[in-house]
Amino acid sequence: MKLRKVTAASAVLLALSVAATACGGDKDDKGSGGGKKITIGIKFDQPGIGQKTPKGYSGFDVEVATYVAEKLGYKEDQIEWTESKSADRETMLQRGDVDFIVASYSITPERQKSVDFAGPYLLAHQDVLVRADDTSIKSAQDLNKARLCSVTGSTSALNVKEKLAPKAQLQKYPTYSACLTGLQNKAIDALTTDDSILAGYASQSQFKGKFKLGGLKMTNENYGIGVKKGSDLKDKINKALEAMVSDGSWQKAVDKNLGPAGYKNEPAPKIGDIKS
């Protein structure tokens, strides 16, 4: 009888052990898709890059993020998108609010102190957007005679005035969309920020054919995918990015989201190759 009782007790313990192991198997493993969901930070308000619409999410960054998630083992319906505003990105990664961030996120030495970056996956440049029929702005110096849109909270126009065109007339507008309206109405002559962002705005159906990029390449902006400091996701994401380039998906995503504005992209950057 004693032997039977011990055997029965052992069976109960074994069953509990198996159940505990099974429950442990539900724990998210972001590197293999073992978890049910993966949380990705994107921009919600950048057409062509990352935008939330009534039909869902769209843009180049969204397509990059979706491809990477798939390579990590997650289907599109397993992705939880969350808005990553520029000022919140490092904090969101440090707190673990997101697994990674794809949000026109330039790799800089200062940011690398707080978070790690996979990539870069796109080399963008600060540029200007002008009206399609404008032939007066061919260099940064030409902006000395221009009314340049300055978006509240953006440093792009200020950088141009301080470093390249001190006589540029800064015109303050609340949003990039408002700048585009001003550009269309000839209230301003140029809008400046990253060329990829400008291309995204100009690719919207209501603006197609009305604007063009200046091609000035005033800075290098190395877009990376942000991850928590020390995360093993960095290497896995890098492999996914290499696959996206090699199978042609990267170029298709660029052409689809930024091409309508005549965006001439740089070749896909090599992993770890950060242009200063």
Side-chain angles (χ1 to χ4, degrees):
M1 291 294 293
K2 289 183 179 178
L3 181 58
R4 289 178 181 173
K5 288 180 180 178
V6 171
T7 301
S10 298
V12 171
L13 288 172
L14 179 60
L16 289 172
S17 175
V18 171
T21 301
C23 290
D26 286 338
K27 186 177 180 181
D28 281 1
D29 176 2
K30 301 301 181 185
S32 65
K36 293 181 180 179
K37 293 287 183 180
I38 189 165
T39 305
I40 304 174
I42 57 171
K43 289 293 182 69
F44 277 14
D45 59 353
Q46 286 185 345
I49 299 292
Q51 186 179 29
K52 183 179 180 180
T53 72
K55 296 181 180 179
Y57 302 90
S58 64
F60 175 66
D61 280 353
V62 174
E63 294 201 25
V64 170
T66 302
Y67 187 99
V68 169
E70 182 180 342
K71 288 296 183 182
L72 293 176
Y74 294 87
K75 297 178 181 178
E76 192 168 352
D77 61 4
Q78 291 177 297
I79 299 174
E80 290 184 346
W81 302 105
T82 186
E83 184 175 19
S84 295
K85 295 181 179 179
S86 296
D88 300 333
R89 291 178 294 202
E90 285 83 49
T91 302
M92 292 177 73
L93 288 168
Q94 290 170 335
R95 285 193 313 225
D97 297 342
V98 291
D99 294 299
F100 60 85
I101 289 177
V102 193
S104 54
Y105 200 1
S106 295
I107 302 171
T108 67
E110 188 63 28
R111 289 170 178 166
Q112 287 177 306
K113 295 176 183 178
S114 304
V115 301
D116 285 341
F117 287 95
Y121 66 92
L122 182 73
L123 176 59
H125 307 281
Q126 185 176 344
D127 199 358
V128 294
L129 194 71
V130 297
R131 286 181 293 278
D133 60 355
D134 191 325
T135 59
S136 66
I137 300 175
K138 298 178 181 178
S139 70
Q141 288 68 40
D142 291 333
L143 294 172
N144 280 307
K145 301 174 289 183
R147 294 165 296 176
L148 185 63
C149 184
S150 176
V151 176
T152 305
S154 171
T155 60
S156 297
L158 189 60
N159 287 340
V160 169
K161 186 172 177 63
E162 290 179 347
K163 300 176 182 178
L164 299 171
K167 295 182 180 179
Q169 302 172 45
L170 295 187
Q171 306 287 321
K172 292 185 178 180
Y173 282 74
T175 64
Y176 287 115
S177 294
C179 282
L180 286 170
T181 300
L183 188 58
Q184 186 175 0
N185 296 337
K186 299 186 178 182
I188 59 170
D189 302 307
L191 161 62
T192 185
T193 188
D194 296 358
D195 54 6
S196 56
I197 296 173
L198 293 173
Y201 277 102
S203 292
Q204 296 177 95
S205 58
Q206 68 268 37
F207 295 130
K208 283 182 182 178
K210 296 180 179 179
F211 307 116
K212 66 181 179 181
L213 291 162
L216 305 188
K217 297 185 178 180
M218 293 181 281
T219 64
N220 289 330
E221 304 296 335
N222 302 271
Y223 287 3
I225 296 180
V227 298
K228 191 173 184 178
K229 200 76 174 173
S231 172
D232 63 356
L233 275 182
K234 177 180 175 180
D235 291 338
K236 295 170 183 176
I237 292 173
N238 279 334
K239 290 179 181 178
L241 291 174
E242 289 175 337
M244 187 176 189
V245 172
S246 64
D247 70 13
S249 299
W250 182 88
Q251 188 62 55
K252 287 180 181 178
V254 173
D255 294 342
K256 173 185 173 183
N257 293 286
L258 307 176
Y263 180 68
K264 295 178 176 60
N265 65 278
E266 297 278 6
K270 293 182 179 179
I271 298 301
D273 184 11
I274 301 172
K275 303 293 186 184
S276 59

